[in-house]
Amino acid sequence: MTRARLVVGNWKMNPPSVDAAVALARAVAETPPPAHVAVGVAPPSVALVAVSAALRGSPVAVYAQDVHWEDRGAHTGAIAASMLAGHATGTIVGHSEVRREQGDDDARVARKLARAVAGGLRVVLCVGESEAEFLAGETERLIVRQIAVDAAPLQAARERSGALVVAYEPIWAIGTGRPATPTHASNAARVIRRALDGLGLDGAATAVLYGGSVTAASAPEFAAADGIDGALVGGASLAAAEFASIVRAFG
Ligand code: PGA
């Protein structure tokens, strides 16, 4: 089965200004991706509209970093999936930093995913174990639980299940300079697809990305790893030249 490849730069709370975000987006757009590799960037929400305007006509897609689980109302600081129409093709949900800092549990991630998919967005759902869970050999159990709850809304919206991309991001590998081994990532991808199958979804058709300290140096190993279709890149996506090498590695 050939699945589309995808590399998304998760800029997190960077770069330091909207102007810098637009400049970075333009720099990313300067290097066209290889055929069959889709590229996206996820700027901070304050820069999303400006980045989207700067990338119009380029092959680089815009992703939000998160959306709210409701579509309107008294939710200070949040953005609704429907507000992204015309500005973003997708959104990340369930990133471990959002789970940790904003208290997202799996039930809430599921509601966010449901909202995003209903709004016609592509969803990059992040799952992955903590260091303690990794050391306790609980990676598989944790991933199965996350997928079972987080992706459950797609059971009632199977026609939209092509919108789902899963990013396997072991928390201990994020921002640490210590990526997982490609073998560990491949095993996780297998578990993710089996868990999707368990929900009646099509695991084999679902793209699985690896995220966690991906750099230009480590990208080729992940590009060659069985079942890994791309990367979710944090720190190394903030330098356009390095990000371009990572994208090229998946070509
Ligand atoms: P990192 O972040 O590449 O800086 O480790 C990845 C992520 O959190 O998506």
Side-chain angles (χ1 to χ4, degrees):
M1 143 93 41
T2 29
R3 289 174 297 264
R5 301 201 130 199
L6 171 66
V7 178
V8 176
N10 174 13
W11 293 354
K12 309 190 180 187
M13 201 165 69
N14 301 291
S17 68
V18 172
D19 285 351
V22 167
L24 178 57
R26 292 214 168 98
V28 169
E30 261 168 36
T31 313
H36 313 302
V37 185
V39 178
V41 294
S45 53
V46 70
L48 209 136
V49 171
V51 164
S52 153
L55 291 175
R56 201 145 287 143
S58 98
V60 181
V62 176
Y63 285 72
Q65 295 180 8
D66 192 24
V67 290
H68 199 271
W69 61 89
E70 296 291 354
D71 204 46
R72 274 297 167 276
H75 302 289
T76 303
I79 56 172
S82 60
M83 291 171 182
L84 296 171
H87 301 297
T89 57
T91 184
I92 298 168
V93 300
H95 193 282
S96 57
E97 288 155 12
V98 181
R99 292 181 193 252
R100 185 184 68 225
E101 295 181 358
Q102 292 172 34
D104 274 16
D105 58 7
D106 288 311
R108 198 191 272 179
V109 171
R111 293 175 72 193
K112 289 180 169 186
L113 179 143
R115 244 340 141 180
V117 167
L121 295 170
R122 198 157 196 215
V123 172
V124 178
L125 166 66
C126 300
V127 298
E129 79 282 6
S130 67
E131 176 133 51
E133 288 158 339
F134 172 67
L135 293 174
E138 288 176 2
T139 299
E140 176 162 347
R141 196 182 57 78
L142 189 273
I143 294 175
V144 166
R145 191 202 74 208
Q146 287 186 319
I147 294 288
V149 181
D150 299 355
L154 285 170
Q155 290 183 292
R158 279 208 181 84
E159 72 289 352
R160 298 214 193 248
S161 56
L164 178 68
V165 173
V166 180
Y168 170 59
E169 295 210 314
I171 297 168
W172 48 270
I174 296 175
T176 59
R178 233 175 0 115
T181 63
T183 306
H184 181 74
S186 289
N187 287 340
R190 238 186 324 277
V191 171
I192 286 165
R193 293 201 168 92
R194 222 184 308 124
L196 290 170
D197 290 343
L199 287 174
L201 304 174
D202 190 350
T206 306
V208 176
L209 316 182
Y210 167 75
S213 297
V214 175
T215 58
S218 64
E221 297 189 305
F222 289 107
D226 191 41
I228 299 295
D229 305 307
L232 183 56
V233 185
S237 70
L238 297 173
E242 173 147 29
F243 186 60
S245 330
I246 295 169
V247 171
R248 235 183 347 264
F250 283 90

